[in-house]
Amino acid sequence: MPCRHLSVYSQRAKLGLIVPPTNTVNEAEWMRMVPDGVTFHTHRMKLHADTASEAGRKALMDDLEEVFAMLKQARVDAVAYACTAGSMINPVDSLPDDLTARTGVKAVTTSASIIAALKKLGVTRLSVATPYADRLNEHETHFLEENGFAVEKLIGLGIGASGPQDYVRIAETPIEQVAAHARAAFVPGSEALLITCTDFPTLPLVEQLEAVLGVPVVTSNQATFWSILRTAGIDDRLAGLGQLLRNH
């Protein structure tokens, strides 16, 4: 159980959240999920396109350590680096483990949370919907396959094809378009539908899609929130947010 530094509004846990600079969805969805007595506290950090090279990984870690140091002053119980593409690094636990060791704060990342959630649900065959363009979609497919999952189908909306300046459009995708895109991505026989990107509005769709498709639906924000709650010692089962948070 983490050491507690409780306060009036954070009677059970304080969580730290790191999001990319254009992200406006993550906090909005976490606000709708957070149980009583738990608070979260946010910091923005620039995107890192290169996480594969030694120099790119070092730049990412330097920025994360700086932000962790600031959030640590709020006595948070755990910190989430909530960026799907920016945390798709294998081995999947290497980034959160390195951050925990370097900062002394329990760390979770979105991509490691997604893998943990899918394994907890006991699924391996996936349909995947993203807002991304081809380059990131290919990277995500390889990331999932390297972690033991079969990607039956993965489709994106093509946002970001002309560069990161377009990423702000992800949050502006109408929910009806997100729903249609998710349904188009699903292949019968898949064991789960995965919808990725922490800036992609998906929370109102999770239960609806599970009812229609008959399989668990995992999203970036839902999985990251589930992971940080459990890491912080909060074991609540939360209704209306999909099988992951209801049953695990």
Side-chain angles (χ1 to χ4, degrees):
M1 193 74 171
C3 178
R4 296 292 189 214
H5 298 285
L6 306 181
S7 60
V8 171
Y9 301 111
S10 313
Q11 296 170 2
R12 302 174 65 204
K14 280 187 284 188
L15 312 176
L17 174 63
I18 301 170
V19 297
T22 57
N23 192 306
T24 55
V25 167
N26 194 320
E27 294 147 304
E29 294 198 338
W30 276 33
M31 285 172 64
R32 288 159 173 78
M33 293 189 284
V34 67
D36 289 344
V38 178
T39 59
F40 67 90
H41 309 277
T42 311
H43 197 290
R44 276 165 167 71
M45 191 187 83
K46 70 181 180 182
L47 283 168
H48 285 260
D50 172 20
T51 58
S53 71
E54 184 177 344
R57 176 70 179 263
K58 182 182 184 304
L60 172 65
M61 290 301 296
D62 287 348
D63 280 352
L64 282 169
E65 285 189 62
E66 182 179 352
V67 176
F68 265 69
M70 285 186 275
L71 286 169
K72 188 175 181 177
Q73 295 177 61
R75 293 182 166 181
V76 294
D77 297 296
V79 174
Y81 174 42
C83 178
T84 310
S87 63
M88 283 193 289
I89 294 170
N90 282 321
V92 66
D93 291 322
S94 61
L95 181 55
D97 286 352
D98 284 354
L99 286 167
T100 299
R102 292 190 191 197
T103 67
V105 180
K106 291 181 181 295
V108 304
T109 67
T110 294
S111 291
S113 299
I114 287 169
I115 299 302
L118 293 169
K119 289 182 176 179
K120 179 64 73 172
L121 290 163
V123 300
T124 57
R125 298 195 310 276
L126 309 176
S127 294
V128 187
T130 88
Y132 307 135
D134 289 346
R135 184 184 61 82
L136 271 182
N137 287 331
E138 291 167 6
H139 179 49
E140 181 165 334
T141 299
H142 294 151
F143 173 78
L144 291 167
E145 290 175 343
E146 287 169 7
N147 281 284
F149 297 94
V151 179
E152 305 290 338
K153 184 177 182 180
L154 186 152
I155 58 172
L157 290 176
I159 299 175
S162 60
Q165 70 276 3
D166 286 344
Y167 289 156
V168 70
R169 292 174 42 218
I170 294 173
E172 298 166 355
T173 310
I175 197 72
E176 297 82 6
Q177 185 180 359
V178 179
H181 181 55
R183 290 193 298 270
F186 186 72
V187 175
S190 297
E191 296 171 321
L193 172 65
L194 173 62
I195 312 175
T196 59
C197 185
T198 60
D199 206 21
F200 207 28
T202 58
L203 190 61
L205 303 174
V206 173
E207 293 265 310
Q208 297 173 25
L209 289 168
E210 287 191 342
V212 170
L213 302 177
V215 299
V217 174
V218 174
T219 77
S220 289
N221 288 333
Q222 170 221 47
T224 310
F225 191 67
W226 167 78
S227 180
I228 198 171
L229 282 183
R230 303 301 179 251
T231 299
I234 303 299
D235 199 38
D236 297 25
R237 299 300 191 264
L238 304 176
L241 303 171
Q243 294 184 39
L244 178 65
L245 280 160
R246 183 171 65 250
N247 299 334
H248 301 284

PDB file of all heavy atoms in Angstrom, residues 24-56:
ATOM      1  N   THR A  24      -6.975  17.580 -24.634  1.00  0.00           N
ATOM      2  CA  THR A  24      -8.080  18.154 -23.855  1.00  0.00           C
ATOM      3  C   THR A  24      -9.132  17.114 -23.488  1.00  0.00           C
ATOM      4  O   THR A  24     -10.139  17.451 -22.875  1.00  0.00           O
ATOM      5  CB  THR A  24      -8.762  19.296 -24.647  1.00  0.00           C
ATOM      6  OG1 THR A  24      -9.174  18.808 -25.931  1.00  0.00           O
ATOM      7  CG2 THR A  24      -7.826  20.475 -24.815  1.00  0.00           C
ATOM      8  N   VAL A  25      -8.894  15.849 -23.856  1.00  0.00           N
ATOM      9  CA  VAL A  25      -9.870  14.791 -23.599  1.00  0.00           C
ATOM     10  C   VAL A  25      -9.548  13.995 -22.342  1.00  0.00           C
ATOM     11  O   VAL A  25     -10.441  13.641 -21.572  1.00  0.00           O
ATOM     12  CB  VAL A  25      -9.969  13.844 -24.822  1.00  0.00           C
ATOM     13  CG1 VAL A  25     -10.721  12.557 -24.473  1.00  0.00           C
ATOM     14  CG2 VAL A  25     -10.666  14.561 -25.965  1.00  0.00           C
ATOM     15  N   ASN A  26      -8.275  13.715 -22.132  1.00  0.00           N
ATOM     16  CA  ASN A  26      -7.895  12.847 -21.013  1.00  0.00           C
ATOM     17  C   ASN A  26      -8.480  13.332 -19.691  1.00  0.00           C
ATOM     18  O   ASN A  26      -9.142  12.565 -18.974  1.00  0.00           O
ATOM     19  CB  ASN A  26      -6.369  12.778 -20.926  1.00  0.00           C
ATOM     20  CG  ASN A  26      -5.895  11.651 -20.025  1.00  0.00           C
ATOM     21  OD1 ASN A  26      -6.461  11.374 -18.977  1.00  0.00           O
ATOM     22  ND2 ASN A  26      -4.833  10.989 -20.417  1.00  0.00           N
ATOM     23  N   GLU A  27      -8.219  14.585 -19.351  1.00  0.00           N
ATOM     24  CA  GLU A  27      -8.716  15.107 -18.073  1.00  0.00           C
ATOM     25  C   GLU A  27     -10.243  15.065 -17.999  1.00  0.00           C
ATOM     26  O   GLU A  27     -10.817  14.731 -16.951  1.00  0.00           O
ATOM     27  CB  GLU A  27      -8.222  16.548 -17.864  1.00  0.00           C
ATOM     28  CG  GLU A  27      -6.724  16.647 -17.694  1.00  0.00           C
ATOM     29  CD  GLU A  27      -6.166  17.932 -18.269  1.00  0.00           C
ATOM     30  OE1 GLU A  27      -6.392  18.213 -19.458  1.00  0.00           O
ATOM     31  OE2 GLU A  27      -5.502  18.654 -17.519  1.00  0.00           O
ATOM     32  N   ALA A  28     -10.903  15.394 -19.114  1.00  0.00           N
ATOM     33  CA  ALA A  28     -12.373  15.389 -19.130  1.00  0.00           C
ATOM     34  C   ALA A  28     -12.918  13.989 -18.854  1.00  0.00           C
ATOM     35  O   ALA A  28     -13.907  13.826 -18.121  1.00  0.00           O
ATOM     36  CB  ALA A  28     -12.881  15.897 -20.476  1.00  0.00           C
ATOM     37  N   GLU A  29     -12.260  12.952 -19.421  1.00  0.00           N
ATOM     38  CA  GLU A  29     -12.741  11.593 -19.195  1.00  0.00           C
ATOM     39  C   GLU A  29     -12.376  11.098 -17.798  1.00  0.00           C
ATOM     40  O   GLU A  29     -13.184  10.418 -17.149  1.00  0.00           O
ATOM     41  CB  GLU A  29     -12.213  10.667 -20.294  1.00  0.00           C
ATOM     42  CG  GLU A  29     -12.791  11.035 -21.653  1.00  0.00           C
ATOM     43  CD  GLU A  29     -12.676   9.953 -22.707  1.00  0.00           C
ATOM     44  OE1 GLU A  29     -11.809   9.058 -22.579  1.00  0.00           O
ATOM     45  OE2 GLU A  29     -13.456  10.006 -23.678  1.00  0.00           O
ATOM     46  N   TRP A  30     -11.193  11.429 -17.314  1.00  0.00           N
ATOM     47  CA  TRP A  30     -10.838  11.031 -15.944  1.00  0.00           C
ATOM     48  C   TRP A  30     -11.768  11.674 -14.927  1.00  0.00           C
ATOM     49  O   TRP A  30     -12.119  11.043 -13.928  1.00  0.00           O
ATOM     50  CB  TRP A  30      -9.388  11.401 -15.654  1.00  0.00           C
ATOM     51  CG  TRP A  30      -8.390  10.395 -16.114  1.00  0.00           C
ATOM     52  CD1 TRP A  30      -8.468   9.584 -17.204  1.00  0.00           C
ATOM     53  CD2 TRP A  30      -7.145  10.089 -15.482  1.00  0.00           C
ATOM     54  NE1 TRP A  30      -7.348   8.801 -17.302  1.00  0.00           N
ATOM     55  CE2 TRP A  30      -6.522   9.083 -16.266  1.00  0.00           C
ATOM     56  CE3 TRP A  30      -6.489  10.574 -14.361  1.00  0.00           C
ATOM     57  CZ2 TRP A  30      -5.269   8.548 -15.931  1.00  0.00           C
ATOM     58  CZ3 TRP A  30      -5.249  10.052 -14.028  1.00  0.00           C
ATOM     59  CH2 TRP A  30      -4.653   9.044 -14.799  1.00  0.00           C
ATOM     60  N   MET A  31     -12.169  12.909 -15.170  1.00  0.00           N
ATOM     61  CA  MET A  31     -13.094  13.575 -14.244  1.00  0.00           C
ATOM     62  C   MET A  31     -14.407  12.815 -14.114  1.00  0.00           C
ATOM     63  O   MET A  31     -15.046  12.822 -13.063  1.00  0.00           O
ATOM     64  CB  MET A  31     -13.370  15.009 -14.711  1.00  0.00           C
ATOM     65  CG  MET A  31     -12.228  15.974 -14.449  1.00  0.00           C
ATOM     66  SD  MET A  31     -12.501  17.591 -15.219  1.00  0.00           S
ATOM     67  CE  MET A  31     -13.956  18.136 -14.335  1.00  0.00           C
ATOM     68  N   ARG A  32     -14.814  12.161 -15.192  1.00  0.00           N
ATOM     69  CA  ARG A  32     -16.068  11.397 -15.185  1.00  0.00           C
ATOM     70  C   ARG A  32     -15.908  10.014 -14.561  1.00  0.00           C
ATOM     71  O   ARG A  32     -16.900   9.347 -14.272  1.00  0.00           O
ATOM     72  CB  ARG A  32     -16.602  11.281 -16.619  1.00  0.00           C
ATOM     73  CG  ARG A  32     -17.160  12.609 -17.136  1.00  0.00           C
ATOM     74  CD  ARG A  32     -17.209  12.647 -18.659  1.00  0.00           C
ATOM     75  NE  ARG A  32     -17.886  13.847 -19.138  1.00  0.00           N
ATOM     76  CZ  ARG A  32     -17.341  15.056 -19.192  1.00  0.00           C
ATOM     77  NH1 ARG A  32     -16.095  15.237 -18.784  1.00  0.00           N
ATOM     78  NH2 ARG A  32     -18.042  16.092 -19.636  1.00  0.00           N
ATOM     79  N   MET A  33     -14.676   9.573 -14.359  1.00  0.00           N
ATOM     80  CA  MET A  33     -14.431   8.246 -13.802  1.00  0.00           C
ATOM     81  C   MET A  33     -13.977   8.261 -12.342  1.00  0.00           C
ATOM     82  O   MET A  33     -14.141   7.268 -11.640  1.00  0.00           O
ATOM     83  CB  MET A  33     -13.365   7.519 -14.637  1.00  0.00           C
ATOM     84  CG  MET A  33     -13.802   7.170 -16.052  1.00  0.00           C
ATOM     85  SD  MET A  33     -12.613   6.078 -16.912  1.00  0.00           S
ATOM     86  CE  MET A  33     -11.311   7.233 -17.320  1.00  0.00           C
ATOM     87  N   VAL A  34     -13.407   9.348 -11.892  1.00  0.00           N
ATOM     88  CA  VAL A  34     -12.711   9.363 -10.607  1.00  0.00           C
ATOM     89  C   VAL A  34     -13.676   9.110  -9.443  1.00  0.00           C
ATOM     90  O   VAL A  34     -14.722   9.750  -9.341  1.00  0.00           O
ATOM     91  CB  VAL A  34     -11.933  10.685 -10.430  1.00  0.00           C
ATOM     92  CG1 VAL A  34     -12.869  11.889 -10.289  1.00  0.00           C
ATOM     93  CG2 VAL A  34     -10.962  10.594  -9.277  1.00  0.00           C
ATOM     94  N   PRO A  35     -13.369   8.158  -8.566  1.00  0.00           N
ATOM     95  CA  PRO A  35     -14.250   7.889  -7.426  1.00  0.00           C
ATOM     96  C   PRO A  35     -14.071   8.922  -6.320  1.00  0.00           C
ATOM     97  O   PRO A  35     -13.070   9.654  -6.278  1.00  0.00           O
ATOM     98  CB  PRO A  35     -13.806   6.501  -6.957  1.00  0.00           C
ATOM     99  CG  PRO A  35     -12.411   6.341  -7.445  1.00  0.00           C
ATOM    100  CD  PRO A  35     -12.274   7.183  -8.680  1.00  0.00           C
ATOM    101  N   ASP A  36     -15.036   8.987  -5.432  1.00  0.00           N
ATOM    102  CA  ASP A  36     -14.964   9.919  -4.310  1.00  0.00           C
ATOM    103  C   ASP A  36     -13.705   9.670  -3.490  1.00  0.00           C
ATOM    104  O   ASP A  36     -13.289   8.528  -3.275  1.00  0.00           O
ATOM    105  CB  ASP A  36     -16.197   9.760  -3.404  1.00  0.00           C
ATOM    106  CG  ASP A  36     -17.471  10.281  -4.043  1.00  0.00           C
ATOM    107  OD1 ASP A  36     -17.371  11.028  -5.036  1.00  0.00           O
ATOM    108  OD2 ASP A  36     -18.561   9.924  -3.557  1.00  0.00           O
ATOM    109  N   GLY A  37     -13.119  10.774  -3.032  1.00  0.00           N
ATOM    110  CA  GLY A  37     -11.941  10.686  -2.182  1.00  0.00           C
ATOM    111  C   GLY A  37     -10.636  10.542  -2.934  1.00  0.00           C
ATOM    112  O   GLY A  37      -9.569  10.441  -2.322  1.00  0.00           O
ATOM    113  N   VAL A  38     -10.695  10.529  -4.264  1.00  0.00           N
ATOM    114  CA  VAL A  38      -9.498  10.445  -5.103  1.00  0.00           C
ATOM    115  C   VAL A  38      -9.427  11.700  -5.963  1.00  0.00           C
ATOM    116  O   VAL A  38     -10.439  12.120  -6.530  1.00  0.00           O
ATOM    117  CB  VAL A  38      -9.524   9.197  -5.997  1.00  0.00           C
ATOM    118  CG1 VAL A  38      -8.287   9.146  -6.902  1.00  0.00           C
ATOM    119  CG2 VAL A  38      -9.620   7.927  -5.149  1.00  0.00           C
ATOM    120  N   THR A  39      -8.255  12.307  -6.050  1.00  0.00           N
ATOM    121  CA  THR A  39      -8.061  13.470  -6.914  1.00  0.00           C
ATOM    122  C   THR A  39      -6.898  13.210  -7.858  1.00  0.00           C
ATOM    123  O   THR A  39      -6.044  12.364  -7.590  1.00  0.00           O
ATOM    124  CB  THR A  39      -7.770  14.749  -6.104  1.00  0.00           C
ATOM    125  OG1 THR A  39      -6.579  14.550  -5.316  1.00  0.00           O
ATOM    126  CG2 THR A  39      -8.930  15.096  -5.181  1.00  0.00           C
ATOM    127  N   PHE A  40      -6.880  13.948  -8.975  1.00  0.00           N
ATOM    128  CA  PHE A  40      -5.717  13.870  -9.865  1.00  0.00           C
ATOM    129  C   PHE A  40      -5.267  15.266 -10.234  1.00  0.00           C
ATOM    130  O   PHE A  40      -6.054  16.215 -10.253  1.00  0.00           O
ATOM    131  CB  PHE A  40      -6.004  13.023 -11.109  1.00  0.00           C
ATOM    132  CG  PHE A  40      -7.008  13.608 -12.068  1.00  0.00           C
ATOM    133  CD1 PHE A  40      -6.608  14.439 -13.104  1.00  0.00           C
ATOM    134  CD2 PHE A  40      -8.352  13.304 -11.947  1.00  0.00           C
ATOM    135  CE1 PHE A  40      -7.526  14.959 -13.992  1.00  0.00           C
ATOM    136  CE2 PHE A  40      -9.286  13.823 -12.840  1.00  0.00           C
ATOM    137  CZ  PHE A  40      -8.867  14.651 -13.865  1.00  0.00           C
ATOM    138  N   HIS A  41      -3.974  15.382 -10.528  1.00  0.00           N
ATOM    139  CA  HIS A  41      -3.322  16.677 -10.678  1.00  0.00           C
ATOM    140  C   HIS A  41      -2.414  16.600 -11.904  1.00  0.00           C
ATOM    141  O   HIS A  41      -1.574  15.718 -12.010  1.00  0.00           O
ATOM    142  CB  HIS A  41      -2.548  16.997  -9.392  1.00  0.00           C
ATOM    143  CG  HIS A  41      -3.420  16.828  -8.185  1.00  0.00           C
ATOM    144  ND1 HIS A  41      -4.278  17.808  -7.759  1.00  0.00           N
ATOM    145  CD2 HIS A  41      -3.648  15.741  -7.397  1.00  0.00           C
ATOM    146  CE1 HIS A  41      -4.980  17.357  -6.728  1.00  0.00           C
ATOM    147  NE2 HIS A  41      -4.614  16.104  -6.483  1.00  0.00           N
ATOM    148  N   THR A  42      -2.628  17.549 -12.836  1.00  0.00           N
ATOM    149  CA  THR A  42      -2.137  17.392 -14.200  1.00  0.00           C
ATOM    150  C   THR A  42      -0.959  18.313 -14.518  1.00  0.00           C
ATOM    151  O   THR A  42      -0.879  19.444 -14.031  1.00  0.00           O
ATOM    152  CB  THR A  42      -3.277  17.698 -15.194  1.00  0.00           C
ATOM    153  OG1 THR A  42      -4.431  16.972 -14.813  1.00  0.00           O
ATOM    154  CG2 THR A  42      -2.901  17.314 -16.602  1.00  0.00           C
ATOM    155  N   HIS A  43      -0.078  17.823 -15.372  1.00  0.00           N
ATOM    156  CA  HIS A  43       1.002  18.620 -15.953  1.00  0.00           C
ATOM    157  C   HIS A  43       1.087  18.275 -17.430  1.00  0.00           C
ATOM    158  O   HIS A  43       0.875  17.129 -17.817  1.00  0.00           O
ATOM    159  CB  HIS A  43       2.331  18.295 -15.273  1.00  0.00           C
ATOM    160  CG  HIS A  43       3.396  19.320 -15.505  1.00  0.00           C
ATOM    161  ND1 HIS A  43       3.999  19.519 -16.719  1.00  0.00           N
ATOM    162  CD2 HIS A  43       3.965  20.219 -14.656  1.00  0.00           C
ATOM    163  CE1 HIS A  43       4.896  20.491 -16.614  1.00  0.00           C
ATOM    164  NE2 HIS A  43       4.894  20.931 -15.386  1.00  0.00           N
ATOM    165  N   ARG A  44       1.397  19.269 -18.262  1.00  0.00           N
ATOM    166  CA  ARG A  44       1.596  19.034 -19.690  1.00  0.00           C
ATOM    167  C   ARG A  44       3.084  18.910 -20.005  1.00  0.00           C
ATOM    168  O   ARG A  44       3.917  19.540 -19.352  1.00  0.00           O
ATOM    169  CB  ARG A  44       0.962  20.160 -20.509  1.00  0.00           C
ATOM    170  CG  ARG A  44      -0.511  19.884 -20.714  1.00  0.00           C
ATOM    171  CD  ARG A  44      -1.331  21.049 -21.192  1.00  0.00           C
ATOM    172  NE  ARG A  44      -2.614  20.544 -21.621  1.00  0.00           N
ATOM    173  CZ  ARG A  44      -3.549  20.076 -20.776  1.00  0.00           C
ATOM    174  NH1 ARG A  44      -3.328  20.076 -19.475  1.00  0.00           N
ATOM    175  NH2 ARG A  44      -4.697  19.605 -21.245  1.00  0.00           N
ATOM    176  N   MET A  45       3.369  18.086 -21.013  1.00  0.00           N
ATOM    177  CA  MET A  45       4.753  17.866 -21.425  1.00  0.00           C
ATOM    178  C   MET A  45       4.786  17.716 -22.929  1.00  0.00           C
ATOM    179  O   MET A  45       3.874  17.120 -23.520  1.00  0.00           O
ATOM    180  CB  MET A  45       5.301  16.608 -20.754  1.00  0.00           C
ATOM    181  CG  MET A  45       6.806  16.445 -20.897  1.00  0.00           C
ATOM    182  SD  MET A  45       7.391  14.845 -20.258  1.00  0.00           S
ATOM    183  CE  MET A  45       7.072  13.786 -21.679  1.00  0.00           C
ATOM    184  N   LYS A  46       5.841  18.220 -23.564  1.00  0.00           N
ATOM    185  CA  LYS A  46       5.916  18.185 -25.027  1.00  0.00           C
ATOM    186  C   LYS A  46       5.949  16.752 -25.540  1.00  0.00           C
ATOM    187  O   LYS A  46       6.372  15.819 -24.849  1.00  0.00           O
ATOM    188  CB  LYS A  46       7.137  18.950 -25.519  1.00  0.00           C
ATOM    189  CG  LYS A  46       8.471  18.289 -25.207  1.00  0.00           C
ATOM    190  CD  LYS A  46       9.613  19.151 -25.730  1.00  0.00           C
ATOM    191  CE  LYS A  46      10.965  18.513 -25.439  1.00  0.00           C
ATOM    192  NZ  LYS A  46      12.087  19.363 -25.907  1.00  0.00           N
ATOM    193  N   LEU A  47       5.495  16.589 -26.765  1.00  0.00           N
ATOM    194  CA  LEU A  47       5.514  15.286 -27.415  1.00  0.00           C
ATOM    195  C   LEU A  47       6.937  14.891 -27.800  1.00  0.00           C
ATOM    196  O   LEU A  47       7.763  15.746 -28.141  1.00  0.00           O
ATOM    197  CB  LEU A  47       4.654  15.322 -28.679  1.00  0.00           C
ATOM    198  CG  LEU A  47       3.144  15.263 -28.495  1.00  0.00           C
ATOM    199  CD1 LEU A  47       2.451  15.606 -29.799  1.00  0.00           C
ATOM    200  CD2 LEU A  47       2.708  13.881 -28.006  1.00  0.00           C
ATOM    201  N   HIS A  48       7.184  13.592 -27.772  1.00  0.00           N
ATOM    202  CA  HIS A  48       8.473  13.060 -28.219  1.00  0.00           C
ATOM    203  C   HIS A  48       8.209  12.072 -29.344  1.00  0.00           C
ATOM    204  O   HIS A  48       7.702  10.974 -29.113  1.00  0.00           O
ATOM    205  CB  HIS A  48       9.201  12.381 -27.056  1.00  0.00           C
ATOM    206  CG  HIS A  48       9.792  13.347 -26.095  1.00  0.00           C
ATOM    207  ND1 HIS A  48      11.123  13.691 -26.105  1.00  0.00           N
ATOM    208  CD2 HIS A  48       9.222  14.066 -25.095  1.00  0.00           C
ATOM    209  CE1 HIS A  48      11.356  14.579 -25.153  1.00  0.00           C
ATOM    210  NE2 HIS A  48      10.213  14.819 -24.527  1.00  0.00           N
ATOM    211  N   ALA A  49       8.560  12.466 -30.558  1.00  0.00           N
ATOM    212  CA  ALA A  49       8.301  11.617 -31.717  1.00  0.00           C
ATOM    213  C   ALA A  49       9.285  10.460 -31.788  1.00  0.00           C
ATOM    214  O   ALA A  49       8.955   9.366 -32.252  1.00  0.00           O
ATOM    215  CB  ALA A  49       8.379  12.442 -32.996  1.00  0.00           C
ATOM    216  N   ASP A  50      10.512  10.675 -31.315  1.00  0.00           N
ATOM    217  CA  ASP A  50      11.550   9.648 -31.381  1.00  0.00           C
ATOM    218  C   ASP A  50      11.737   9.034 -29.997  1.00  0.00           C
ATOM    219  O   ASP A  50      12.277   9.669 -29.091  1.00  0.00           O
ATOM    220  CB  ASP A  50      12.863  10.263 -31.867  1.00  0.00           C
ATOM    221  CG  ASP A  50      14.034   9.294 -31.782  1.00  0.00           C
ATOM    222  OD1 ASP A  50      13.788   8.070 -31.722  1.00  0.00           O
ATOM    223  OD2 ASP A  50      15.189   9.766 -31.772  1.00  0.00           O
ATOM    224  N   THR A  51      11.249   7.797 -29.838  1.00  0.00           N
ATOM    225  CA  THR A  51      11.486   7.087 -28.577  1.00  0.00           C
ATOM    226  C   THR A  51      12.291   5.814 -28.817  1.00  0.00           C
ATOM    227  O   THR A  51      12.492   5.024 -27.894  1.00  0.00           O
ATOM    228  CB  THR A  51      10.149   6.722 -27.902  1.00  0.00           C
ATOM    229  OG1 THR A  51       9.370   5.924 -28.807  1.00  0.00           O
ATOM    230  CG2 THR A  51       9.375   7.969 -27.518  1.00  0.00           C
ATOM    231  N   ALA A  52      12.760   5.630 -30.051  1.00  0.00           N
ATOM    232  CA  ALA A  52      13.477   4.404 -30.403  1.00  0.00           C
ATOM    233  C   ALA A  52      14.986   4.565 -30.257  1.00  0.00           C
ATOM    234  O   ALA A  52      15.671   3.652 -29.778  1.00  0.00           O
ATOM    235  CB  ALA A  52      13.145   3.990 -31.830  1.00  0.00           C
ATOM    236  N   SER A  53      15.522   5.721 -30.645  1.00  0.00           N
ATOM    237  CA  SER A  53      16.965   5.914 -30.591  1.00  0.00           C
ATOM    238  C   SER A  53      17.406   6.193 -29.156  1.00  0.00           C
ATOM    239  O   SER A  53      16.613   6.578 -28.293  1.00  0.00           O
ATOM    240  CB  SER A  53      17.384   7.083 -31.480  1.00  0.00           C
ATOM    241  OG  SER A  53      16.960   8.316 -30.910  1.00  0.00           O
ATOM    242  N   GLU A  54      18.696   6.010 -28.916  1.00  0.00           N
ATOM    243  CA  GLU A  54      19.248   6.279 -27.578  1.00  0.00           C
ATOM    244  C   GLU A  54      19.057   7.745 -27.208  1.00  0.00           C
ATOM    245  O   GLU A  54      18.684   8.080 -26.077  1.00  0.00           O
ATOM    246  CB  GLU A  54      20.728   5.899 -27.550  1.00  0.00           C
ATOM    247  CG  GLU A  54      21.360   6.060 -26.180  1.00  0.00           C
ATOM    248  CD  GLU A  54      22.818   5.598 -26.155  1.00  0.00           C
ATOM    249  OE1 GLU A  54      23.230   4.878 -27.097  1.00  0.00           O
ATOM    250  OE2 GLU A  54      23.524   5.950 -25.199  1.00  0.00           O
ATOM    251  N   ALA A  55      19.308   8.646 -28.176  1.00  0.00           N
ATOM    252  CA  ALA A  55      19.154  10.078 -27.905  1.00  0.00           C
ATOM    253  C   ALA A  55      17.694  10.436 -27.659  1.00  0.00           C
ATOM    254  O   ALA A  55      17.380  11.230 -26.768  1.00  0.00           O
ATOM    255  CB  ALA A  55      19.701  10.895 -29.082  1.00  0.00           C
ATOM    256  N   GLY A  56      16.787   9.830 -28.436  1.00  0.00           N
ATOM    257  CA  GLY A  56      15.366  10.103 -28.252  1.00  0.00           C
ATOM    258  C   GLY A  56      14.855   9.618 -26.913  1.00  0.00           C
ATOM    259  O   GLY A  56      14.079  10.307 -26.244  1.00  0.00           O
TER     260      GLY A  56
END
